[in-house]
Amino acid sequence: SFAMNMYLFLYDLMQFCGHSWIFTNMIIRFMTFGRESLADTFHSIGFVMRLCQLLSVLEILHILIGIDKSRLLPRFLQITERIIVLFVVINSQEEVQGKYVVCVLFFLWNLLDVVRYTYNMLARMGIYYLPLTWLNFSLCIPLYPLSVLAKGFAICVSLPYFESFGTYSIKLPFPFTFSIYFPYILKMYLLVLFAGMCFIIRNLFSERTAHLGAGNTKNKRS
């Protein structure tokens, strides 16, 4: 319906504005302060980044109620990967927030999202630019694996801090002998992360084939 389409357009617009602000801020800060800006990335843009990622959870709801025709599992995996790495790994360990990998990760995320939400906004209005369509369904194929590698590296960097500080590790008192050692959970999650990457990359290739294969007949300029 028109109302739902307008809602989705406004959602994409909000995400586009948020990620564009982050992306522009990162570039300007780097051009102004050079490498010194990298260590301060999280403190300067972390709030907006967390807000955008929390807002992205709505995309799962959009698929569940049927107003977005994307596949649920690949989108769910992509969103939960970011939520876990951003909120559980980076946000909880201040020592990790100043690492260069955080800047690399944010750059990759926002580059992908600026292109994706731009494409989505225009598609809501029935506007399809072939170069933008090609970029949207092609850029993610090399950049998504790079972002997964950055996520994995961020988790590995965080492990010594989780071990020394005991963050999220739980040891139940007597008479219980059960305990949760969170670094082990993160190590197991690394396996899930890379296994999920293979599944999502296959889905990205299928989406690219579906859209670009039929794109020559429906793409139009306005």
PDB file of all heavy atoms in Angstrom, residues 77 81 144 148 188-202:
ATOM      1  N   LEU A  77      20.996 -12.871  10.038  1.00  0.00           N
ATOM      2  CA  LEU A  77      22.389 -13.134  10.376  1.00  0.00           C
ATOM      3  C   LEU A  77      23.238 -11.872  10.278  1.00  0.00           C
ATOM      4  O   LEU A  77      24.068 -11.605  11.151  1.00  0.00           O
ATOM      5  CB  LEU A  77      22.953 -14.220   9.448  1.00  0.00           C
ATOM      6  CG  LEU A  77      22.410 -15.640   9.653  1.00  0.00           C
ATOM      7  CD1 LEU A  77      22.965 -16.579   8.588  1.00  0.00           C
ATOM      8  CD2 LEU A  77      22.752 -16.148  11.041  1.00  0.00           C
ATOM      9  N   GLU A  81      24.972 -10.221  13.594  1.00  0.00           N
ATOM     10  CA  GLU A  81      26.432 -10.124  13.622  1.00  0.00           C
ATOM     11  C   GLU A  81      26.867  -8.738  14.082  1.00  0.00           C
ATOM     12  O   GLU A  81      27.743  -8.588  14.944  1.00  0.00           O
ATOM     13  CB  GLU A  81      27.000 -10.393  12.226  1.00  0.00           C
ATOM     14  CG  GLU A  81      26.991 -11.840  11.797  1.00  0.00           C
ATOM     15  CD  GLU A  81      27.398 -11.999  10.351  1.00  0.00           C
ATOM     16  OE1 GLU A  81      27.822 -10.987   9.731  1.00  0.00           O
ATOM     17  OE2 GLU A  81      27.286 -13.126   9.828  1.00  0.00           O
ATOM     18  N   TYR A 144      31.665  -7.494   2.089  1.00  0.00           N
ATOM     19  CA  TYR A 144      31.102  -8.250   3.214  1.00  0.00           C
ATOM     20  C   TYR A 144      32.116  -9.225   3.815  1.00  0.00           C
ATOM     21  O   TYR A 144      32.259  -9.274   5.041  1.00  0.00           O
ATOM     22  CB  TYR A 144      29.831  -8.984   2.795  1.00  0.00           C
ATOM     23  CG  TYR A 144      29.305  -9.869   3.903  1.00  0.00           C
ATOM     24  CD1 TYR A 144      28.708  -9.309   5.035  1.00  0.00           C
ATOM     25  CD2 TYR A 144      29.461 -11.251   3.850  1.00  0.00           C
ATOM     26  CE1 TYR A 144      28.259 -10.115   6.077  1.00  0.00           C
ATOM     27  CE2 TYR A 144      29.008 -12.061   4.887  1.00  0.00           C
ATOM     28  CZ  TYR A 144      28.417 -11.488   5.992  1.00  0.00           C
ATOM     29  OH  TYR A 144      27.994 -12.293   7.025  1.00  0.00           O
ATOM     30  N   VAL A 148      33.554  -9.277   7.704  1.00  0.00           N
ATOM     31  CA  VAL A 148      33.557 -10.447   8.578  1.00  0.00           C
ATOM     32  C   VAL A 148      34.955 -10.668   9.159  1.00  0.00           C
ATOM     33  O   VAL A 148      35.114 -10.980  10.346  1.00  0.00           O
ATOM     34  CB  VAL A 148      33.071 -11.700   7.821  1.00  0.00           C
ATOM     35  CG1 VAL A 148      33.262 -12.954   8.670  1.00  0.00           C
ATOM     36  CG2 VAL A 148      31.601 -11.546   7.456  1.00  0.00           C
ATOM     37  N   MET A 188      33.595 -19.839  20.120  1.00  0.00           N
ATOM     38  CA  MET A 188      32.617 -20.647  19.383  1.00  0.00           C
ATOM     39  C   MET A 188      31.846 -19.789  18.388  1.00  0.00           C
ATOM     40  O   MET A 188      31.513 -20.240  17.284  1.00  0.00           O
ATOM     41  CB  MET A 188      31.657 -21.333  20.357  1.00  0.00           C
ATOM     42  CG  MET A 188      32.296 -22.446  21.162  1.00  0.00           C
ATOM     43  SD  MET A 188      31.094 -23.390  22.145  1.00  0.00           S
ATOM     44  CE  MET A 188      30.647 -22.150  23.368  1.00  0.00           C
ATOM     45  N   TYR A 189      31.579 -18.533  18.772  1.00  0.00           N
ATOM     46  CA  TYR A 189      30.855 -17.643  17.868  1.00  0.00           C
ATOM     47  C   TYR A 189      31.678 -17.331  16.615  1.00  0.00           C
ATOM     48  O   TYR A 189      31.113 -17.098  15.546  1.00  0.00           O
ATOM     49  CB  TYR A 189      30.473 -16.354  18.579  1.00  0.00           C
ATOM     50  CG  TYR A 189      29.709 -15.395  17.681  1.00  0.00           C
ATOM     51  CD1 TYR A 189      28.421 -15.704  17.256  1.00  0.00           C
ATOM     52  CD2 TYR A 189      30.300 -14.227  17.215  1.00  0.00           C
ATOM     53  CE1 TYR A 189      27.732 -14.863  16.405  1.00  0.00           C
ATOM     54  CE2 TYR A 189      29.615 -13.375  16.371  1.00  0.00           C
ATOM     55  CZ  TYR A 189      28.336 -13.690  15.971  1.00  0.00           C
ATOM     56  OH  TYR A 189      27.661 -12.859  15.115  1.00  0.00           O
ATOM     57  N   LEU A 190      33.001 -17.328  16.748  1.00  0.00           N
ATOM     58  CA  LEU A 190      33.850 -17.113  15.572  1.00  0.00           C
ATOM     59  C   LEU A 190      33.577 -18.169  14.509  1.00  0.00           C
ATOM     60  O   LEU A 190      33.536 -17.861  13.307  1.00  0.00           O
ATOM     61  CB  LEU A 190      35.324 -17.151  15.974  1.00  0.00           C
ATOM     62  CG  LEU A 190      35.888 -15.884  16.618  1.00  0.00           C
ATOM     63  CD1 LEU A 190      37.318 -16.137  17.110  1.00  0.00           C
ATOM     64  CD2 LEU A 190      35.876 -14.719  15.640  1.00  0.00           C
ATOM     65  N   LEU A 191      33.373 -19.413  14.930  1.00  0.00           N
ATOM     66  CA  LEU A 191      33.051 -20.479  13.981  1.00  0.00           C
ATOM     67  C   LEU A 191      31.704 -20.227  13.317  1.00  0.00           C
ATOM     68  O   LEU A 191      31.554 -20.409  12.105  1.00  0.00           O
ATOM     69  CB  LEU A 191      33.046 -21.829  14.693  1.00  0.00           C
ATOM     70  CG  LEU A 191      34.367 -22.266  15.344  1.00  0.00           C
ATOM     71  CD1 LEU A 191      34.185 -23.590  16.081  1.00  0.00           C
ATOM     72  CD2 LEU A 191      35.475 -22.377  14.301  1.00  0.00           C
ATOM     73  N   VAL A 192      30.732 -19.800  14.118  1.00  0.00           N
ATOM     74  CA  VAL A 192      29.408 -19.484  13.571  1.00  0.00           C
ATOM     75  C   VAL A 192      29.497 -18.316  12.597  1.00  0.00           C
ATOM     76  O   VAL A 192      28.846 -18.315  11.541  1.00  0.00           O
ATOM     77  CB  VAL A 192      28.428 -19.157  14.720  1.00  0.00           C
ATOM     78  CG1 VAL A 192      27.069 -18.725  14.167  1.00  0.00           C
ATOM     79  CG2 VAL A 192      28.274 -20.348  15.651  1.00  0.00           C
ATOM     80  N   LEU A 193      30.317 -17.332  12.945  1.00  0.00           N
ATOM     81  CA  LEU A 193      30.470 -16.133  12.112  1.00  0.00           C
ATOM     82  C   LEU A 193      30.983 -16.486  10.721  1.00  0.00           C
ATOM     83  O   LEU A 193      30.429 -16.035   9.712  1.00  0.00           O
ATOM     84  CB  LEU A 193      31.420 -15.159  12.807  1.00  0.00           C
ATOM     85  CG  LEU A 193      31.604 -13.782  12.166  1.00  0.00           C
ATOM     86  CD1 LEU A 193      30.312 -12.987  12.213  1.00  0.00           C
ATOM     87  CD2 LEU A 193      32.714 -13.016  12.871  1.00  0.00           C
ATOM     88  N   PHE A 194      32.010 -17.328  10.649  1.00  0.00           N
ATOM     89  CA  PHE A 194      32.587 -17.664   9.349  1.00  0.00           C
ATOM     90  C   PHE A 194      31.739 -18.679   8.593  1.00  0.00           C
ATOM     91  O   PHE A 194      31.713 -18.667   7.359  1.00  0.00           O
ATOM     92  CB  PHE A 194      34.022 -18.169   9.526  1.00  0.00           C
ATOM     93  CG  PHE A 194      34.991 -17.073   9.851  1.00  0.00           C
ATOM     94  CD1 PHE A 194      35.411 -16.852  11.150  1.00  0.00           C
ATOM     95  CD2 PHE A 194      35.465 -16.233   8.851  1.00  0.00           C
ATOM     96  CE1 PHE A 194      36.289 -15.826  11.449  1.00  0.00           C
ATOM     97  CE2 PHE A 194      36.345 -15.199   9.138  1.00  0.00           C
ATOM     98  CZ  PHE A 194      36.760 -14.998  10.447  1.00  0.00           C
ATOM     99  N   ALA A 195      31.022 -19.536   9.320  1.00  0.00           N
ATOM    100  CA  ALA A 195      30.090 -20.446   8.647  1.00  0.00           C
ATOM    101  C   ALA A 195      28.929 -19.661   8.049  1.00  0.00           C
ATOM    102  O   ALA A 195      28.497 -19.916   6.914  1.00  0.00           O
ATOM    103  CB  ALA A 195      29.571 -21.491   9.636  1.00  0.00           C
ATOM    104  N   GLY A 196      28.428 -18.691   8.794  1.00  0.00           N
ATOM    105  CA  GLY A 196      27.357 -17.837   8.284  1.00  0.00           C
ATOM    106  C   GLY A 196      27.803 -17.011   7.093  1.00  0.00           C
ATOM    107  O   GLY A 196      26.996 -16.713   6.204  1.00  0.00           O
ATOM    108  N   MET A 197      29.097 -16.623   7.074  1.00  0.00           N
ATOM    109  CA  MET A 197      29.609 -15.840   5.955  1.00  0.00           C
ATOM    110  C   MET A 197      29.459 -16.605   4.644  1.00  0.00           C
ATOM    111  O   MET A 197      29.071 -16.023   3.615  1.00  0.00           O
ATOM    112  CB  MET A 197      31.080 -15.497   6.196  1.00  0.00           C
ATOM    113  CG  MET A 197      31.720 -14.706   5.067  1.00  0.00           C
ATOM    114  SD  MET A 197      33.502 -14.433   5.294  1.00  0.00           S
ATOM    115  CE  MET A 197      34.124 -16.100   5.062  1.00  0.00           C
ATOM    116  N   CYS A 198      29.745 -17.891   4.653  1.00  0.00           N
ATOM    117  CA  CYS A 198      29.624 -18.694   3.429  1.00  0.00           C
ATOM    118  C   CYS A 198      28.184 -18.707   2.929  1.00  0.00           C
ATOM    119  O   CYS A 198      27.925 -18.574   1.725  1.00  0.00           O
ATOM    120  CB  CYS A 198      30.114 -20.116   3.694  1.00  0.00           C
ATOM    121  SG  CYS A 198      31.852 -20.213   4.183  1.00  0.00           S
ATOM    122  N   PHE A 199      27.254 -18.848   3.854  1.00  0.00           N
ATOM    123  CA  PHE A 199      25.835 -18.864   3.487  1.00  0.00           C
ATOM    124  C   PHE A 199      25.395 -17.516   2.924  1.00  0.00           C
ATOM    125  O   PHE A 199      24.691 -17.436   1.906  1.00  0.00           O
ATOM    126  CB  PHE A 199      24.995 -19.230   4.711  1.00  0.00           C
ATOM    127  CG  PHE A 199      23.514 -19.066   4.510  1.00  0.00           C
ATOM    128  CD1 PHE A 199      22.788 -19.982   3.756  1.00  0.00           C
ATOM    129  CD2 PHE A 199      22.848 -17.986   5.061  1.00  0.00           C
ATOM    130  CE1 PHE A 199      21.425 -19.828   3.569  1.00  0.00           C
ATOM    131  CE2 PHE A 199      21.482 -17.818   4.880  1.00  0.00           C
ATOM    132  CZ  PHE A 199      20.770 -18.742   4.134  1.00  0.00           C
ATOM    133  N   ILE A 200      25.814 -16.434   3.561  1.00  0.00           N
ATOM    134  CA  ILE A 200      25.387 -15.100   3.136  1.00  0.00           C
ATOM    135  C   ILE A 200      26.014 -14.728   1.803  1.00  0.00           C
ATOM    136  O   ILE A 200      25.360 -14.117   0.948  1.00  0.00           O
ATOM    137  CB  ILE A 200      25.732 -14.063   4.227  1.00  0.00           C
ATOM    138  CG1 ILE A 200      24.869 -14.307   5.465  1.00  0.00           C
ATOM    139  CG2 ILE A 200      25.516 -12.639   3.713  1.00  0.00           C
ATOM    140  CD1 ILE A 200      25.209 -13.431   6.644  1.00  0.00           C
ATOM    141  N   ILE A 201      27.274 -15.095   1.590  1.00  0.00           N
ATOM    142  CA  ILE A 201      27.915 -14.791   0.306  1.00  0.00           C
ATOM    143  C   ILE A 201      27.185 -15.493  -0.834  1.00  0.00           C
ATOM    144  O   ILE A 201      26.973 -14.913  -1.910  1.00  0.00           O
ATOM    145  CB  ILE A 201      29.402 -15.199   0.342  1.00  0.00           C
ATOM    146  CG1 ILE A 201      30.188 -14.247   1.250  1.00  0.00           C
ATOM    147  CG2 ILE A 201      29.997 -15.190  -1.062  1.00  0.00           C
ATOM    148  CD1 ILE A 201      31.640 -14.618   1.408  1.00  0.00           C
ATOM    149  N   ARG A 202      26.786 -16.730  -0.604  1.00  0.00           N
ATOM    150  CA  ARG A 202      26.014 -17.446  -1.631  1.00  0.00           C
ATOM    151  C   ARG A 202      24.702 -16.726  -1.912  1.00  0.00           C
ATOM    152  O   ARG A 202      24.271 -16.610  -3.068  1.00  0.00           O
ATOM    153  CB  ARG A 202      25.741 -18.877  -1.172  1.00  0.00           C
ATOM    154  CG  ARG A 202      25.072 -19.747  -2.237  1.00  0.00           C
ATOM    155  CD  ARG A 202      24.968 -21.175  -1.791  1.00  0.00           C
ATOM    156  NE  ARG A 202      24.120 -21.303  -0.607  1.00  0.00           N
ATOM    157  CZ  ARG A 202      23.828 -22.476  -0.049  1.00  0.00           C
ATOM    158  NH1 ARG A 202      24.343 -23.593  -0.529  1.00  0.00           N
ATOM    159  NH2 ARG A 202      23.055 -22.518   1.023  1.00  0.00           N
TER     160      ARG A 202
END
